[in-house]
Short mmCIF file of all heavy atoms in Angstrom, two decimals:
data_model
loop_
_atom_site.label_atom_id
_atom_site.label_comp_id
_atom_site.label_asym_id
_atom_site.label_seq_id
_atom_site.Cartn_x
_atom_site.Cartn_y
_atom_site.Cartn_z
N LEU A 101 47.63 -92.13 120.44
CA LEU A 101 47.56 -90.99 119.42
C LEU A 101 49.00 -90.51 119.19
O LEU A 101 49.40 -90.22 118.00
CB LEU A 101 46.66 -89.88 119.98
CG LEU A 101 46.62 -88.63 118.99
CD1 LEU A 101 45.42 -88.85 118.01
CD2 LEU A 101 46.34 -87.36 119.79
N ARG A 102 49.72 -90.29 120.25
CA ARG A 102 51.12 -89.77 120.17
C ARG A 102 52.00 -90.66 119.33
O ARG A 102 52.65 -90.24 118.49
CB ARG A 102 51.66 -89.46 121.57
CG ARG A 102 50.97 -88.36 122.34
CD ARG A 102 51.71 -88.08 123.64
NE ARG A 102 53.08 -87.90 123.29
CZ ARG A 102 54.10 -88.55 123.82
NH1 ARG A 102 53.84 -89.40 124.78
NH2 ARG A 102 55.30 -88.33 123.46
N ALA A 103 51.92 -91.96 119.68
CA ALA A 103 52.78 -92.92 119.03
C ALA A 103 52.47 -93.11 117.53
O ALA A 103 53.33 -93.35 116.69
CB ALA A 103 52.69 -94.27 119.72
N SER A 104 51.22 -92.95 117.21
CA SER A 104 50.81 -93.26 115.73
C SER A 104 50.78 -91.92 114.95
O SER A 104 50.93 -92.02 113.68
CB SER A 104 49.50 -94.02 115.75
OG SER A 104 48.38 -93.18 116.27
N ARG A 105 50.41 -90.80 115.48
CA ARG A 105 50.11 -89.62 114.66
C ARG A 105 51.12 -88.47 114.89
O ARG A 105 51.02 -87.52 114.17
CB ARG A 105 48.76 -89.18 114.90
CG ARG A 105 47.68 -90.21 114.59
CD ARG A 105 46.39 -89.49 114.38
NE ARG A 105 45.23 -90.44 114.49
CZ ARG A 105 44.10 -90.25 113.88
NH1 ARG A 105 43.87 -89.14 113.25
NH2 ARG A 105 43.17 -91.17 114.01
N ILE A 106 51.99 -88.53 115.98
CA ILE A 106 52.72 -87.34 116.25
C ILE A 106 54.26 -87.81 116.28
O ILE A 106 54.59 -88.75 116.87
CB ILE A 106 52.29 -86.76 117.59
CG1 ILE A 106 50.91 -86.34 117.59
CG2 ILE A 106 53.21 -85.59 117.95
CD1 ILE A 106 50.29 -85.83 118.89
N GLY A 107 55.02 -86.92 115.64
CA GLY A 107 56.48 -87.20 115.70
C GLY A 107 57.07 -85.94 116.28
O GLY A 107 56.64 -84.79 116.03
N MET A 108 58.01 -86.14 117.14
CA MET A 108 58.65 -84.95 117.81
C MET A 108 60.19 -85.10 117.78
O MET A 108 60.68 -86.07 118.02
CB MET A 108 58.09 -84.92 119.21
CG MET A 108 58.53 -83.57 119.93
SD MET A 108 57.55 -83.22 121.34
CE MET A 108 58.02 -81.57 121.76
N VAL A 109 60.74 -83.95 117.51
CA VAL A 109 62.15 -83.72 117.66
C VAL A 109 62.42 -82.76 118.86
O VAL A 109 62.11 -81.63 118.76
CB VAL A 109 62.88 -83.17 116.42
CG1 VAL A 109 64.35 -83.01 116.65
CG2 VAL A 109 62.64 -84.16 115.25
N LEU A 110 62.93 -83.35 119.99
CA LEU A 110 63.11 -82.54 121.09
C LEU A 110 64.35 -81.66 120.91
O LEU A 110 65.23 -81.94 120.07
CB LEU A 110 63.36 -83.44 122.38
CG LEU A 110 62.11 -84.31 122.76
CD1 LEU A 110 62.48 -85.39 123.76
CD2 LEU A 110 61.01 -83.39 123.26
N GLN A 111 64.43 -80.64 121.74
CA GLN A 111 65.57 -79.64 121.69
C GLN A 111 66.86 -80.42 121.92
O GLN A 111 67.86 -80.20 121.18
CB GLN A 111 65.38 -78.60 122.66
CG GLN A 111 66.20 -77.41 122.39
CD GLN A 111 65.79 -76.13 123.13
OE1 GLN A 111 65.24 -76.27 124.27
NE2 GLN A 111 65.99 -75.00 122.54
N ASN A 112 66.90 -81.36 122.82
CA ASN A 112 68.01 -82.21 123.01
C ASN A 112 67.75 -83.53 122.23
O ASN A 112 67.04 -84.35 122.78
CB ASN A 112 68.23 -82.44 124.52
CG ASN A 112 69.38 -83.39 124.82
OD1 ASN A 112 69.92 -84.01 123.92
ND2 ASN A 112 69.67 -83.55 126.11
N PRO A 113 68.39 -83.62 121.10
CA PRO A 113 67.91 -84.89 120.21
C PRO A 113 68.25 -86.22 120.82
O PRO A 113 67.52 -87.13 120.60
CB PRO A 113 68.70 -84.67 118.94
CG PRO A 113 69.88 -83.77 119.27
CD PRO A 113 69.41 -82.89 120.43
N ALA A 114 69.23 -86.23 121.74
CA ALA A 114 69.60 -87.58 122.41
C ALA A 114 68.34 -88.11 123.15
O ALA A 114 68.21 -89.30 123.29
CB ALA A 114 70.74 -87.33 123.36
N ARG A 115 67.53 -87.14 123.60
CA ARG A 115 66.30 -87.59 124.41
C ARG A 115 65.30 -88.33 123.51
O ARG A 115 64.41 -88.98 124.05
CB ARG A 115 65.72 -86.44 125.03
CG ARG A 115 66.56 -85.88 126.04
CD ARG A 115 65.74 -85.23 127.12
NE ARG A 115 66.65 -84.84 128.29
CZ ARG A 115 66.31 -83.97 129.18
NH1 ARG A 115 65.21 -83.37 129.09
NH2 ARG A 115 67.14 -83.74 130.19
N ASN A 116 65.44 -88.17 122.21
CA ASN A 116 64.51 -88.87 121.25
C ASN A 116 65.01 -90.28 120.96
O ASN A 116 64.28 -91.13 120.28
CB ASN A 116 64.41 -88.15 119.91
CG ASN A 116 63.55 -86.84 120.10
OD1 ASN A 116 64.16 -85.85 120.12
ND2 ASN A 116 62.32 -87.04 119.94
N LEU A 117 66.25 -90.59 121.33
CA LEU A 117 66.87 -91.77 120.88
C LEU A 117 67.21 -92.75 122.03
O LEU A 117 67.29 -92.32 123.13
CB LEU A 117 68.26 -91.38 120.16
CG LEU A 117 68.04 -90.32 119.03
CD1 LEU A 117 69.38 -89.89 118.56
CD2 LEU A 117 67.26 -90.90 117.90
N ILE A 118 67.42 -94.00 121.61
CA ILE A 118 67.87 -94.99 122.61
C ILE A 118 69.33 -95.14 122.32
O ILE A 118 69.80 -95.56 121.24
CB ILE A 118 67.16 -96.30 122.44
CG1 ILE A 118 65.61 -95.93 122.70
CG2 ILE A 118 67.61 -97.31 123.42
CD1 ILE A 118 64.73 -97.07 122.42
N GLY A 119 70.12 -94.72 123.41
CA GLY A 119 71.54 -94.65 123.14
C GLY A 119 72.36 -95.81 122.75
O GLY A 119 73.30 -95.74 122.04
N TYR A 120 71.90 -97.01 123.21
CA TYR A 120 72.57 -98.19 122.87
C TYR A 120 72.21 -98.89 121.53
O TYR A 120 72.80 -99.85 121.12
CB TYR A 120 72.57 -99.20 123.95
CG TYR A 120 71.18 -99.65 124.42
CD1 TYR A 120 70.65 -100.75 123.78
CD2 TYR A 120 70.51 -99.07 125.45
CE1 TYR A 120 69.31 -101.16 124.14
CE2 TYR A 120 69.30 -99.43 125.81
CZ TYR A 120 68.70 -100.46 125.13
OH TYR A 120 67.45 -100.89 125.55
N LEU A 121 71.15 -98.29 120.94
CA LEU A 121 70.66 -98.83 119.60
C LEU A 121 71.35 -98.05 118.43
O LEU A 121 71.57 -96.84 118.61
CB LEU A 121 69.15 -98.75 119.56
CG LEU A 121 68.34 -99.59 120.53
CD1 LEU A 121 66.87 -99.37 120.21
CD2 LEU A 121 68.75 -101.09 120.50
N ASN A 122 71.61 -98.66 117.40
CA ASN A 122 72.18 -98.02 116.26
C ASN A 122 71.02 -97.21 115.50
O ASN A 122 69.91 -97.29 115.88
CB ASN A 122 72.88 -98.94 115.34
CG ASN A 122 72.02 -99.97 114.59
OD1 ASN A 122 70.84 -99.73 114.35
ND2 ASN A 122 72.55 -101.08 114.28
N ALA A 123 71.41 -96.61 114.43
CA ALA A 123 70.44 -95.68 113.68
C ALA A 123 69.20 -96.48 113.24
O ALA A 123 68.08 -96.09 113.47
CB ALA A 123 71.19 -95.00 112.53
N ALA A 124 69.46 -97.59 112.50
CA ALA A 124 68.35 -98.37 111.90
C ALA A 124 67.53 -98.90 113.07
O ALA A 124 66.29 -98.97 112.94
CB ALA A 124 68.87 -99.52 111.08
N GLN A 125 68.12 -99.36 114.21
CA GLN A 125 67.31 -99.94 115.26
C GLN A 125 66.47 -98.83 115.89
O GLN A 125 65.33 -99.08 116.39
CB GLN A 125 68.20 -100.51 116.26
CG GLN A 125 68.87 -101.82 115.82
CD GLN A 125 70.11 -102.24 116.72
OE1 GLN A 125 70.66 -101.45 117.39
NE2 GLN A 125 70.43 -103.55 116.65
N ASN A 126 66.95 -97.62 115.98
CA ASN A 126 66.20 -96.50 116.55
C ASN A 126 64.89 -96.22 115.75
O ASN A 126 63.81 -96.03 116.27
CB ASN A 126 67.00 -95.20 116.68
CG ASN A 126 67.66 -95.15 118.10
OD1 ASN A 126 66.92 -94.79 119.03
ND2 ASN A 126 68.94 -95.47 118.17
N VAL A 127 65.07 -96.20 114.37
CA VAL A 127 63.92 -95.96 113.57
C VAL A 127 62.98 -97.20 113.61
O VAL A 127 61.75 -97.03 113.70
CB VAL A 127 64.43 -95.78 112.05
CG1 VAL A 127 63.19 -95.63 111.16
CG2 VAL A 127 65.29 -94.61 111.90
N ALA A 128 63.45 -98.37 113.65
CA ALA A 128 62.60 -99.58 113.78
C ALA A 128 61.83 -99.52 115.10
O ALA A 128 60.63 -99.83 115.17
CB ALA A 128 63.46 -100.89 113.75
N PHE A 129 62.46 -99.07 116.15
CA PHE A 129 61.82 -98.99 117.46
C PHE A 129 60.64 -97.99 117.43
O PHE A 129 59.57 -98.25 117.93
CB PHE A 129 62.81 -98.61 118.59
CG PHE A 129 62.22 -98.60 119.95
CD1 PHE A 129 61.95 -99.83 120.61
CD2 PHE A 129 61.80 -97.40 120.56
CE1 PHE A 129 61.43 -99.82 121.84
CE2 PHE A 129 61.27 -97.45 121.83
CZ PHE A 129 61.04 -98.64 122.51
N ALA A 130 60.87 -96.90 116.65
CA ALA A 130 59.77 -95.86 116.48
C ALA A 130 58.55 -96.52 115.86
O ALA A 130 57.41 -96.09 115.99
CB ALA A 130 60.34 -94.63 115.80
N GLN A 131 58.82 -97.44 114.94
CA GLN A 131 57.81 -98.05 114.03
C GLN A 131 57.09 -99.12 114.83
O GLN A 131 56.10 -99.69 114.22
CB GLN A 131 58.39 -98.54 112.78
CG GLN A 131 58.74 -97.46 111.81
CD GLN A 131 59.36 -98.04 110.52
OE1 GLN A 131 59.86 -99.15 110.44
NE2 GLN A 131 59.26 -97.28 109.47
N ARG A 132 57.34 -99.37 116.09
CA ARG A 132 56.69 -100.51 116.79
C ARG A 132 55.24 -100.34 116.99
O ARG A 132 54.43 -101.24 117.12
CB ARG A 132 57.33 -100.71 118.21
CG ARG A 132 57.03 -99.67 119.20
CD ARG A 132 57.95 -99.65 120.39
NE ARG A 132 57.58 -98.63 121.38
CZ ARG A 132 57.81 -97.36 121.18
NH1 ARG A 132 58.47 -96.94 120.15
NH2 ARG A 132 57.54 -96.48 122.08
N ALA A 133 54.77 -98.95 116.98
CA ALA A 133 53.35 -98.64 117.21
C ALA A 133 52.55 -98.86 115.98
O ALA A 133 51.33 -98.82 116.08
CB ALA A 133 53.23 -97.26 117.71
N VAL A 134 53.18 -99.01 114.80
CA VAL A 134 52.48 -99.10 113.51
C VAL A 134 53.05 -100.28 112.73
O VAL A 134 53.88 -101.07 113.26
CB VAL A 134 52.59 -97.85 112.69
CG1 VAL A 134 52.08 -96.56 113.40
CG2 VAL A 134 54.11 -97.60 112.37
N LYS A 135 52.55 -100.46 111.56
CA LYS A 135 53.10 -101.50 110.72
C LYS A 135 54.44 -101.13 110.33
O LYS A 135 54.74 -100.02 109.81
CB LYS A 135 52.21 -101.64 109.46
CG LYS A 135 52.47 -102.86 108.73
CD LYS A 135 51.40 -103.18 107.70
CE LYS A 135 51.87 -103.99 106.59
NZ LYS A 135 52.79 -103.34 105.62
N ARG A 136 55.38 -102.06 110.65
CA ARG A 136 56.83 -101.82 110.36
C ARG A 136 57.07 -101.58 108.81
O ARG A 136 56.45 -102.43 108.05
CB ARG A 136 57.62 -102.99 110.82
CG ARG A 136 59.09 -102.93 110.63
CD ARG A 136 59.79 -102.84 111.88
NE ARG A 136 61.32 -102.73 111.62
CZ ARG A 136 62.13 -103.70 111.94
NH1 ARG A 136 61.76 -104.80 112.50
NH2 ARG A 136 63.41 -103.56 111.64
N ASP A 137 57.84 -100.66 108.46
CA ASP A 137 58.10 -100.33 107.04
C ASP A 137 59.56 -100.18 106.81
O ASP A 137 60.15 -99.09 107.03
CB ASP A 137 57.26 -99.06 106.67
CG ASP A 137 57.39 -98.67 105.14
OD1 ASP A 137 58.30 -99.27 104.48
OD2 ASP A 137 56.56 -97.85 104.72
N ARG A 138 60.18 -101.26 106.51
CA ARG A 138 61.71 -101.32 106.43
C ARG A 138 62.13 -100.41 105.26
O ARG A 138 63.16 -99.71 105.36
CB ARG A 138 62.17 -102.72 106.18
CG ARG A 138 62.08 -103.54 107.45
CD ARG A 138 62.82 -104.82 107.16
NE ARG A 138 62.91 -105.69 108.39
CZ ARG A 138 61.91 -106.33 108.86
NH1 ARG A 138 60.76 -106.42 108.27
NH2 ARG A 138 62.06 -107.02 110.04
N ARG A 139 61.42 -100.35 104.17
CA ARG A 139 61.73 -99.55 103.05
C ARG A 139 61.79 -98.05 103.46
O ARG A 139 62.65 -97.37 103.09
CB ARG A 139 60.76 -99.78 101.90
CG ARG A 139 61.32 -99.32 100.55
CD ARG A 139 60.46 -99.91 99.45
NE ARG A 139 60.42 -98.87 98.38
CZ ARG A 139 59.34 -98.22 98.15
NH1 ARG A 139 58.14 -98.53 98.63
NH2 ARG A 139 59.29 -97.19 97.22
N ARG A 140 60.71 -97.71 104.11
CA ARG A 140 60.71 -96.24 104.57
C ARG A 140 61.82 -95.98 105.47
O ARG A 140 62.41 -94.91 105.39
CB ARG A 140 59.35 -95.99 105.17
CG ARG A 140 59.26 -94.47 105.70
CD ARG A 140 57.94 -94.22 106.26
NE ARG A 140 57.83 -92.85 106.77
CZ ARG A 140 57.60 -91.78 105.99
NH1 ARG A 140 57.45 -92.04 104.65
NH2 ARG A 140 57.44 -90.65 106.46
N ALA A 141 62.07 -96.83 106.36
CA ALA A 141 63.14 -96.68 107.40
C ALA A 141 64.51 -96.45 106.63
O ALA A 141 65.26 -95.53 106.94
CB ALA A 141 63.25 -97.89 108.29
N ARG A 142 64.77 -97.31 105.67
CA ARG A 142 66.02 -97.13 104.94
C ARG A 142 66.09 -95.84 104.18
O ARG A 142 67.08 -95.13 104.13
CB ARG A 142 66.17 -98.25 103.89
CG ARG A 142 66.86 -99.45 104.43
CD ARG A 142 67.37 -100.39 103.30
NE ARG A 142 66.29 -100.83 102.43
CZ ARG A 142 65.52 -101.82 102.63
NH1 ARG A 142 65.74 -102.61 103.69
NH2 ARG A 142 64.59 -102.14 101.71
N GLU A 143 64.90 -95.46 103.58
CA GLU A 143 64.83 -94.14 102.79
C GLU A 143 65.05 -92.99 103.63
O GLU A 143 65.79 -92.04 103.39
CB GLU A 143 63.46 -94.15 102.05
CG GLU A 143 63.21 -92.92 101.27
CD GLU A 143 64.02 -92.89 99.95
OE1 GLU A 143 64.81 -93.84 99.79
OE2 GLU A 143 63.92 -91.95 99.21
N LEU A 144 64.49 -93.02 104.86
CA LEU A 144 64.63 -91.86 105.76
C LEU A 144 66.10 -91.72 106.23
O LEU A 144 66.62 -90.69 106.27
CB LEU A 144 63.76 -92.08 106.98
CG LEU A 144 62.26 -91.73 106.84
CD1 LEU A 144 61.46 -92.30 108.00
CD2 LEU A 144 62.05 -90.31 106.73
N LEU A 145 66.72 -92.84 106.45
CA LEU A 145 68.16 -92.81 106.86
C LEU A 145 68.99 -92.26 105.72
O LEU A 145 69.86 -91.46 105.95
CB LEU A 145 68.63 -94.19 107.34
CG LEU A 145 68.09 -94.58 108.66
CD1 LEU A 145 68.55 -96.09 109.02
CD2 LEU A 145 68.52 -93.68 109.76
N ARG A 146 68.61 -92.59 104.53
CA ARG A 146 69.35 -92.08 103.34
C ARG A 146 69.13 -90.60 103.29
O ARG A 146 70.10 -89.84 102.99
CB ARG A 146 68.86 -92.76 102.04
CG ARG A 146 69.68 -92.42 100.82
CD ARG A 146 69.18 -93.08 99.61
NE ARG A 146 67.89 -92.65 99.22
CZ ARG A 146 67.63 -91.43 98.61
NH1 ARG A 146 68.63 -90.57 98.32
NH2 ARG A 146 66.35 -91.09 98.29
N LEU A 147 67.88 -90.14 103.49
CA LEU A 147 67.52 -88.77 103.27
C LEU A 147 68.24 -87.91 104.38
O LEU A 147 68.47 -86.66 104.06
CB LEU A 147 66.01 -88.55 103.28
CG LEU A 147 65.35 -89.02 102.04
CD1 LEU A 147 63.79 -89.10 102.25
CD2 LEU A 147 65.67 -88.18 100.76
N VAL A 148 68.45 -88.44 105.54
CA VAL A 148 69.17 -87.63 106.56
C VAL A 148 70.62 -87.88 106.48
O VAL A 148 71.31 -87.35 107.37
CB VAL A 148 68.62 -87.87 107.94
CG1 VAL A 148 67.09 -87.43 108.03
CG2 VAL A 148 68.81 -89.23 108.40
N GLY A 149 71.13 -88.60 105.55
CA GLY A 149 72.51 -88.83 105.33
C GLY A 149 73.14 -89.72 106.37
O GLY A 149 74.32 -89.64 106.74
N LEU A 150 72.39 -90.69 106.87
CA LEU A 150 72.80 -91.66 107.87
C LEU A 150 72.82 -93.12 107.42
O LEU A 150 72.79 -94.05 108.14
CB LEU A 150 72.06 -91.55 109.21
CG LEU A 150 72.39 -90.28 110.00
CD1 LEU A 150 71.42 -90.18 111.23
CD2 LEU A 150 73.79 -90.34 110.56
N ASP A 151 72.68 -93.20 106.08
CA ASP A 151 72.64 -94.59 105.56
C ASP A 151 73.95 -95.33 105.76
O ASP A 151 73.96 -96.53 105.74
CB ASP A 151 72.19 -94.59 104.06
CG ASP A 151 72.79 -93.54 103.19
OD1 ASP A 151 73.44 -92.62 103.78
OD2 ASP A 151 72.65 -93.60 102.04
N GLY A 152 75.03 -94.61 105.90
CA GLY A 152 76.34 -95.19 106.21
C GLY A 152 76.67 -95.33 107.62
O GLY A 152 77.83 -95.54 108.00
N ALA A 153 75.75 -95.01 108.49
CA ALA A 153 76.06 -94.97 109.93
C ALA A 153 76.38 -96.19 110.56
O ALA A 153 76.93 -96.31 111.66
CB ALA A 153 74.87 -94.32 110.72
N GLY A 154 75.99 -97.40 109.94
CA GLY A 154 76.38 -98.69 110.39
C GLY A 154 75.86 -99.08 111.82
O GLY A 154 74.72 -98.68 112.08
N ASP A 155 76.71 -99.69 112.56
CA ASP A 155 76.24 -100.17 113.85
C ASP A 155 76.62 -99.27 115.02
O ASP A 155 76.46 -99.62 116.18
CB ASP A 155 76.99 -101.58 114.07
CG ASP A 155 75.94 -102.66 113.65
OD1 ASP A 155 74.71 -102.38 113.63
OD2 ASP A 155 76.36 -103.80 113.42
N ARG A 156 77.14 -98.11 114.68
CA ARG A 156 77.39 -97.22 115.89
C ARG A 156 76.19 -96.86 116.65
O ARG A 156 75.18 -96.46 116.12
CB ARG A 156 78.01 -95.93 115.29
CG ARG A 156 79.56 -95.92 115.13
CD ARG A 156 79.98 -94.53 114.78
NE ARG A 156 79.34 -93.99 113.66
CZ ARG A 156 78.89 -92.73 113.53
NH1 ARG A 156 79.16 -91.88 114.59
NH2 ARG A 156 78.25 -92.39 112.47
N PRO A 157 76.30 -97.08 118.02
CA PRO A 157 75.09 -96.76 118.77
C PRO A 157 74.84 -95.20 118.73
O PRO A 157 75.78 -94.38 118.64
CB PRO A 157 75.55 -97.22 120.19
CG PRO A 157 76.93 -97.28 120.16
CD PRO A 157 77.43 -97.55 118.75
N ALA A 158 73.52 -94.90 118.86
CA ALA A 158 73.14 -93.48 118.80
C ALA A 158 73.87 -92.57 119.95
O ALA A 158 74.24 -91.48 119.67
CB ALA A 158 71.71 -93.29 118.91
N GLY A 159 74.13 -93.22 121.05
CA GLY A 159 74.81 -92.52 122.09
C GLY A 159 76.20 -92.07 121.81
O GLY A 159 76.73 -91.13 122.39
#
Side-chain angles (χ1 to χ4, degrees):
L101 177 89
R102 294 188 48 236
S104 62
R105 298 201 198 206
I106 300 175
M108 189 162 189
V109 177
L110 297 167
Q111 197 163 29
N112 177 353
R115 295 207 170 162
N116 286 97
L117 306 172
I118 298 173
Y120 58 86
L121 298 181
N122 68 27
Q125 289 166 337
N126 267 282
V127 178
F129 185 75
Q131 289 181 332
R132 74 197 179 284
V134 298
K135 193 167 156 284
R136 180 116 180 247
D137 183 344
R138 287 188 172 79
R139 194 168 145 247
R140 179 177 180 79
R142 272 199 302 275
E143 180 70 0
L144 281 168
L145 289 174
R146 188 181 68 76
L147 289 168
V148 299
L150 286 173
D151 42 350
D155 263 339
R156 270 189 304 140

